[in-house]
């Protein structure tokens, strides 16, 4: 998976690609710089801990030198106990030196398109409503859903990739999808 984003006079050549194991240190350093170390205590992190991103939905943006300058990942979740599947987006981060170059928007558009192409029905996130509204996210369909732990209700947003996918959903989001292998299991494999 490889896509070039629109180039502007102020932005270098950027490509969005699937992240690899080799990208993990750069991605984690970028997230620490962009969001601080407290990012690991957020409610969304409880759903990500011990899990791998949804297949094909761990994305990074690279600059012309090959450095990681942006990241977004989507995670498999269930909407309530035994409820339907959905995705949880986050975190989305762009290197401070590349802010306002359109990288975050390009990552969002690519992630949404890939999720739809892969057959997912809905994406949820906790984030800034004015920013995410441009991609179609609203709080309209999250009223009967909740996150595990503290979060700001007005920042809990959703986008239906399939119309009606969130109709009647209720309950607390539950982690789903692929678990990380333990070190012992990796060594044995």
């Amino acid at each position: 998976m490889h896509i070039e984003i629109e180039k502007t006079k102020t932005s270098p050549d950027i490509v969005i690609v699937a992240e690899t194991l080799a990208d993990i240190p750069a991605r984690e350093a970028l997230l620490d710089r962009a969001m601080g170390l407290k990012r690991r205590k957020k409610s969304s992190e409880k759903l990500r801990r011990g899990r791998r991103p949804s297949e094909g939905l761990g994305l990074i943006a690279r600059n012309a030198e090959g450095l990681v300058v942006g990241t977004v990942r989507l995670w498999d979740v269930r909407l309530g106990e035994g409820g339907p599947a959905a995705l949880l987006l986050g975190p989305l981060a762009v290197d401070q030196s590349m802010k306002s170059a359109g990288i975050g928007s390009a990552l969002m558009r690519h992630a949404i398109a890939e999720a739809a192409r892969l057959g997912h029905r809905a994406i949820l996130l906790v984030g800034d409503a004015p920013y995410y509204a441009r991609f179609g996210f609203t709080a309209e369909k999250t009223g009967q859903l909740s996150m595990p732990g503290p979060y700001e209700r007005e920042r809990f947003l959703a986008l239906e990739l399939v119309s009606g996918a969130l109709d009647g959903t209720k309950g607390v989001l539950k982690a789903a999808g692929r678990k990380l292998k333990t070190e012992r299991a990796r060594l044995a494999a």
Side-chain angles (χ1 to χ4, degrees), residues 150-163:
Y151 68 100
E152 298 172 65
R153 163 102 6 232
E154 68 277 3
R155 294 171 51 89
F156 189 35
L157 310 173
L159 170 67
E160 289 184 325
L161 301 174
V162 174
S163 183

Side-chain angles (χ1 to χ4, degrees), residues 50-132:
R51 303 281 175 168
R52 297 175 66 195
S54 188
E55 187 71 39
L57 293 173
L59 305 170
I60 59 159
R62 289 190 197 282
N63 66 11
E65 291 79 37
L67 299 175
V68 174
V69 295
T71 180
V72 67
R73 300 166 98 199
L74 291 95
W75 308 82
D76 296 303
V77 293
R78 289 269 170 215
L79 305 178
E81 195 65 45
L87 294 169
L88 179 68
L89 185 143
L92 168 68
V94 174
D95 189 271
Q96 188 64 32
S97 68
M98 304 296 292
K99 293 282 184 181
S100 301
I103 296 169
S105 293
L107 281 164
M108 283 297 298
R109 282 192 292 278
H110 190 72
I112 292 166
E114 274 300 295
R117 185 186 71 75
L118 292 168
H120 295 282
R121 299 174 48 81
I123 303 172
L124 294 99
L125 62 81
V126 177
D128 184 42
Y131 178 82
Y132 290 105

